Amino acid sequence: ARPGDEVICETGAHFLHFEGGSVAAHLGLMMRPVPGVRGTLQPEDVERLIRPGNEHNPRSAVVAIENTHNSAGGAVFPIETARAIANLCRERGVKVHLDGARLFNAQVATGTPAAEWAACADTVTFCFSKGLGAPIGSMVCSTADAIAEGRRVRKRMGGGMRQVGVIAAAARVALDTGIERLAEDHANATRLAQGLADLDSACVDLASVETNMVYVDLSPWRLLAPDVAERLRTEGVLTLGFPGSSMRLVTHRDVDIADIDRTLLAFKKVLLA
């Protein structure tokens, strides 16, 4: 994309809200967000929004999709929808970027290989340091030409690290040992969500728990999430409380079934006190 071009994305896209405006600050790109269905862009909306650009309008250069979708509670981006968007974009000369931070969670949850989602995109990112369990690291995947340009941009931003072998070693271990065990995280998230629903069925949408995230609505108790997060911290449970009544819980390799049960006891103590 060139400065002044636009990126079509879903309204809750992670890079739109949680990356400090980097695409505008560093690349000069405009965002054109559109509401999706649980974080999933719809092909008909993408088709309607794409514009070639002229002296009045920016050029639609990229459609960005996210899998799994953070703000939608770890929702999986359906592969058939991704394929439809990819076909449409190729017909219209628009690139597709896949923010696949938790792409392997989608693979484990659905049985669809990550490569099939990657085939829908021109550039793909994924994280070694989330569910896969490495202490640090992410990867950008694309053509040789695109990666060469990415290295140039990375260097410009001061990201040209030198002795990264130890990081790469941990990333290899994460890929070799971290993918299949993601199913444990998904099962633990379901157990956590069901336990919270037992406290009040309105606080969790069980159908929305597809992978390793549980979003909790504390409004049944008329409590604010930051306050609850602080009280849970004193019980030894670390959570993310957003302003208002929404709280995010994420399961990972350092949380086992006993931790889930201990977390549920902590929630019961804090919420029903």
Side-chain angles (χ1 to χ4, degrees), residues 92-203:
R92 303 287 290 274
V94 176
K95 302 294 186 180
V96 175
H97 173 65
L98 170 57
D99 177 355
R102 299 172 179 85
L103 182 58
F104 290 102
N105 287 93
Q107 172 179 293
V108 170
T110 63
T112 301
E116 294 194 21
W117 274 291
C120 299
D122 298 280
T123 56
V124 180
T125 60
F126 70 91
C127 293
F128 297 108
S129 57
K130 291 187 169 66
L132 298 185
I136 185 174
S138 299
M139 178 166 278
V140 182
C141 308
S142 188
T143 63
D145 287 345
I147 293 301
E149 176 65 11
R151 290 178 184 273
R152 188 180 71 85
V153 173
R154 182 187 67 180
K155 185 69 172 180
R156 178 190 296 168
M157 296 181 184
M161 298 178 70
R162 296 295 189 272
Q163 289 76 17
V164 295
V166 65
I167 297 176
R172 289 189 61 177
V173 172
L175 282 177
D176 290 341
T177 67
I179 295 175
E180 291 185 1
R181 62 145 305 279
L182 291 174
E184 300 173 20
D185 296 342
H186 298 178
N188 284 337
T190 298
R191 183 185 185 94
L192 178 60
Q194 290 171 339
L196 290 168
D198 288 342
L199 300 180
D200 192 304
S201 61
C203 78

Side-chain angles (χ1 to χ4, degrees), residues 192-204 214-235 237 239-241 244-249 260 262-273:
L192 178 60
Q194 290 171 339
L196 290 168
D198 288 342
L199 300 180
D200 192 304
S201 61
C203 78
V204 175
V214 180
Y215 274 73
V216 186
D217 181 4
L218 298 171
S219 58
W221 295 280
R222 298 182 179 180
L223 295 172
L224 295 176
D227 295 338
V228 172
E230 184 57 34
R231 292 163 67 182
L232 287 169
R233 180 186 292 272
T234 65
E235 299 295 327
V237 177
T239 60
L240 179 60
S245 61
S246 179
M247 172 172 284
R248 190 186 76 164
L249 312 177
I260 296 297
R262 186 164 61 88
T263 297
L264 289 171
L265 287 174
F267 265 98
K268 185 174 183 180
K269 179 178 179 180
V270 169
L271 297 179
L272 305 183

